[in-house]
PDB file of all heavy atoms in Angstrom:
ATOM      1  N   ILE E1644     123.951 110.212  83.847  1.00  0.00           N
ATOM      2  CA  ILE E1644     123.296 109.018  83.210  1.00  0.00           C
ATOM      3  C   ILE E1644     122.228 108.578  84.266  1.00  0.00           C
ATOM      4  O   ILE E1644     122.522 108.425  85.418  1.00  0.00           O
ATOM      5  CB  ILE E1644     124.204 107.903  82.912  1.00  0.00           C
ATOM      6  CG1 ILE E1644     125.241 108.297  81.828  1.00  0.00           C
ATOM      7  CG2 ILE E1644     123.440 106.660  82.428  1.00  0.00           C
ATOM      8  CD1 ILE E1644     126.260 107.304  81.577  1.00  0.00           C
ATOM      9  N   TRP E1655     117.800 105.708  89.442  1.00  0.00           N
ATOM     10  CA  TRP E1655     119.060 106.180  89.988  1.00  0.00           C
ATOM     11  C   TRP E1655     119.662 107.113  88.935  1.00  0.00           C
ATOM     12  O   TRP E1655     119.373 107.073  87.725  1.00  0.00           O
ATOM     13  CB  TRP E1655     120.017 105.064  90.304  1.00  0.00           C
ATOM     14  CG  TRP E1655     120.274 104.006  89.232  1.00  0.00           C
ATOM     15  CD1 TRP E1655     119.779 102.710  89.216  1.00  0.00           C
ATOM     16  CD2 TRP E1655     121.120 104.106  88.092  1.00  0.00           C
ATOM     17  NE1 TRP E1655     120.205 102.171  88.121  1.00  0.00           N
ATOM     18  CE2 TRP E1655     121.120 102.920  87.410  1.00  0.00           C
ATOM     19  CE3 TRP E1655     121.916 105.097  87.594  1.00  0.00           C
ATOM     20  CZ2 TRP E1655     121.791 102.672  86.264  1.00  0.00           C
ATOM     21  CZ3 TRP E1655     122.696 104.922  86.496  1.00  0.00           C
ATOM     22  CH2 TRP E1655     122.588 103.678  85.814  1.00  0.00           C
ATOM     23  N   ILE E1657     123.695 108.694  87.923  1.00  0.00           N
ATOM     24  CA  ILE E1657     125.164 108.853  88.194  1.00  0.00           C
ATOM     25  C   ILE E1657     125.588 110.262  87.651  1.00  0.00           C
ATOM     26  O   ILE E1657     125.232 110.643  86.580  1.00  0.00           O
ATOM     27  CB  ILE E1657     125.939 107.781  87.368  1.00  0.00           C
ATOM     28  CG1 ILE E1657     125.586 106.382  87.936  1.00  0.00           C
ATOM     29  CG2 ILE E1657     127.401 107.931  87.517  1.00  0.00           C
ATOM     30  CD1 ILE E1657     126.192 105.275  87.129  1.00  0.00           C
ATOM     31  N   ILE E1681     128.654  97.875  81.750  1.00  0.00           N
ATOM     32  CA  ILE E1681     128.367  99.028  80.996  1.00  0.00           C
ATOM     33  C   ILE E1681     129.559 100.008  81.036  1.00  0.00           C
ATOM     34  O   ILE E1681     130.016 100.278  82.085  1.00  0.00           O
ATOM     35  CB  ILE E1681     127.102  99.766  81.451  1.00  0.00           C
ATOM     36  CG1 ILE E1681     125.915  98.731  81.482  1.00  0.00           C
ATOM     37  CG2 ILE E1681     126.727 100.948  80.519  1.00  0.00           C
ATOM     38  CD1 ILE E1681     124.650  99.272  82.141  1.00  0.00           C
ATOM     39  N   LYS E1707     133.067 102.671  84.214  1.00  0.00           N
ATOM     40  CA  LYS E1707     132.390 101.341  84.159  1.00  0.00           C
ATOM     41  C   LYS E1707     131.461 101.215  85.274  1.00  0.00           C
ATOM     42  O   LYS E1707     131.752 101.462  86.406  1.00  0.00           O
ATOM     43  CB  LYS E1707     133.457 100.183  84.215  1.00  0.00           C
ATOM     44  CG  LYS E1707     132.911  98.802  84.068  1.00  0.00           C
ATOM     45  CD  LYS E1707     133.979  97.740  84.242  1.00  0.00           C
ATOM     46  CE  LYS E1707     133.524  96.413  84.143  1.00  0.00           C
ATOM     47  NZ  LYS E1707     134.538  95.403  84.352  1.00  0.00           N
ATOM     48  N   PHE E1708     130.171 100.760  85.076  1.00  0.00           N
ATOM     49  CA  PHE E1708     129.143 100.697  86.056  1.00  0.00           C
ATOM     50  C   PHE E1708     128.169  99.587  85.724  1.00  0.00           C
ATOM     51  O   PHE E1708     128.251  98.991  84.653  1.00  0.00           O
ATOM     52  CB  PHE E1708     128.412 102.029  86.204  1.00  0.00           C
ATOM     53  CG  PHE E1708     127.672 102.517  85.036  1.00  0.00           C
ATOM     54  CD1 PHE E1708     126.293 102.370  84.828  1.00  0.00           C
ATOM     55  CD2 PHE E1708     128.351 103.285  84.049  1.00  0.00           C
ATOM     56  CE1 PHE E1708     125.706 102.777  83.681  1.00  0.00           C
ATOM     57  CE2 PHE E1708     127.749 103.800  82.963  1.00  0.00           C
ATOM     58  CZ  PHE E1708     126.411 103.538  82.723  1.00  0.00           C
ATOM     59  N   ARG E1709     127.307  99.241  86.633  1.00  0.00           N
ATOM     60  CA  ARG E1709     126.301  98.184  86.426  1.00  0.00           C
ATOM     61  C   ARG E1709     124.915  98.802  86.211  1.00  0.00           C
ATOM     62  O   ARG E1709     124.656  99.934  86.436  1.00  0.00           O
ATOM     63  CB  ARG E1709     126.368  97.163  87.636  1.00  0.00           C
ATOM     64  CG  ARG E1709     127.747  96.510  87.805  1.00  0.00           C
ATOM     65  CD  ARG E1709     127.516  95.278  88.726  1.00  0.00           C
ATOM     66  NE  ARG E1709     126.853  95.637  89.992  1.00  0.00           N
ATOM     67  CZ  ARG E1709     127.555  95.718  91.143  1.00  0.00           C
ATOM     68  NH1 ARG E1709     128.756  95.464  91.122  1.00  0.00           N
ATOM     69  NH2 ARG E1709     126.874  95.994  92.234  1.00  0.00           N
ATOM     70  N   ALA E1713     125.744 100.896  90.318  1.00  0.00           N
ATOM     71  CA  ALA E1713     127.045 100.794  91.084  1.00  0.00           C
ATOM     72  C   ALA E1713     128.194 101.119  90.228  1.00  0.00           C
ATOM     73  O   ALA E1713     128.345 100.432  89.123  1.00  0.00           O
ATOM     74  CB  ALA E1713     127.030  99.469  91.721  1.00  0.00           C
ATOM     75  N   ILE E1714     129.148 101.858  90.641  1.00  0.00           N
ATOM     76  CA  ILE E1714     130.384 102.185  89.936  1.00  0.00           C
ATOM     77  C   ILE E1714     131.370 101.100  90.295  1.00  0.00           C
ATOM     78  O   ILE E1714     131.625 100.785  91.494  1.00  0.00           O
ATOM     79  CB  ILE E1714     130.908 103.543  90.316  1.00  0.00           C
ATOM     80  CG1 ILE E1714     129.870 104.582  90.166  1.00  0.00           C
ATOM     81  CG2 ILE E1714     132.141 103.891  89.518  1.00  0.00           C
ATOM     82  CD1 ILE E1714     129.399 104.782  88.757  1.00  0.00           C
TER      83      ILE E1714
END
Side-chain angles (χ1 to χ4, degrees):
I1644 296 177
W1655 53 257
I1657 296 173
I1681 305 170
K1707 183 181 177 183
F1708 60 97
R1709 298 197 305 255
I1714 308 295

